[in-house]
Amino acid sequence: MANKVRLTNENYKTIRCPISKRKLEVPCSLIRGVYAEYRPHDLPGFAPHKLTWWLRYTCKVTGKLKHYKIGSGDLSIGQARDIARKLRSKIALGEDPKGELDAAKNEMTYAQYMEEHFLPWIKSINRPSSTKRNQSHFDLYLKDTFGDSHLSTILKKDLVRLQGKLLSEGTLRPASINRILSTCTSSFSRCAELGYIERSPGYKFKMLKENNKSEAWLTREEANRLLKELPLHLRNISKMCLYTGLRSSNLTELVWTEVDIDRKLIIIGAEKAKGKRPITVPLIPEAVQLLLDLKGQNEKSKEPSEFVFLYKGLPFDRVTNSAWYKACKRAGVEAKFHTLRHTWASWHVQSGTNLYDLQALGGWSDVRMVQRYGHLSAERVAQSAHNISGFGINNVKEAS
């Protein structure tokens, strides 16, 4: 470490590695052996971390100089020091943290890593619906493919092979395959952060092209036929989706404390929102009446529930079940529950709601997500083009 820069609380976030260098190591003067490693953003083959904390020490058993990864840039300099102090205490007693980690690398399989590390971690930071989706991806697709493989033996070509296999089976759309591979690549990125692998096989993995230009939606006649065929508990939650555009997870997890009937609002907290930002949903009169009916039923029950939508007195998390698909068949429509959200958005655009207002109402974080509905307002836009008709331009005489 020939670098003269020393880490401080003020500068450790602002130091950058020159593009001409592969890495830059900067020592911490407050505790022996701790240093920060900076890498350029676009260095190929490595997880995209700007900053990594390391501890350099000499193993008492072997006498070899070793480097132990403390953590990535999400740790502050104070947190890195605290971890390093605990590690140095263990080293002083003759322990070898790097040797223990290397042994774990050699023994840990992908299934062990997912069950002991990734899935519990993802549960602590994600919404319940996202956690269930990640668990489902692992159970149905990733466990059989990678479960018994040691972490260091899984390569990018194995991910490409899984992608091709899922695509060739023809039962999943590109978007669904991308969600599965996203869970997979995220698990390997976290694995690299924890130091179990040197680099993620999913780094810069190319996902399949998705067609999000337009989405299926129901006409009012189709929607009414479907509602008529649905059992009561699915009819109620489906109506609320058509009234508000809320996602299925926001509705199945909706509790009465998030409903303000007096102000005619539903307020979804950031922790439950897909975009990680609060969603405030204005309620139309039909939605208010439905909530009043459900609230009255809930208050009369022997065991009132905190959840709004119930089936046999209990909350439910699956809407598109066998009862849903049977109702679709009887109604003569093809739809998933999410189709109702697209239907709500489509009806709004057809009624004149502009895309920016629709973005706010639907809780989308990016206006590009609502541009898929722009074609539905083509007729209204065409009519707007005639607003400047009759200005008399044709009557302007040529200059003599």
Side-chain angles (χ1 to χ4, degrees), residues 250-274:
N250 294 140
L251 288 171
T252 56
E253 298 169 12
L254 186 67
V255 293
W256 286 111
T257 54
E258 296 169 329
V259 178
D260 189 335
I261 293 180
D262 294 334
R263 295 169 60 200
K264 299 180 175 60
L265 294 174
I266 289 176
I267 302 173
I268 306 296
E271 70 281 359
K272 285 188 177 182
K274 185 177 180 181

Side-chain angles (χ1 to χ4, degrees), residues 217-224 227 242-243 340-353 358 373 376:
W217 55 279
L218 303 180
T219 65
R220 281 169 172 76
E221 181 185 355
E222 289 172 330
N224 282 324
L227 291 173
L242 290 169
Y243 294 154
L340 300 185
R341 176 170 164 85
H342 296 311
T343 299
W344 166 85
S346 301
W347 289 356
H348 259 290
V349 173
Q350 290 173 320
S351 300
T353 304
L358 182 64
Y373 305 107
L376 297 171

Side-chain angles (χ1 to χ4, degrees), residues 52-63:
T52 308
W53 297 101
W54 293 88
L55 172 66
R56 179 194 287 107
Y57 70 95
T58 301
C59 177
K60 287 193 172 185
V61 178
T62 63

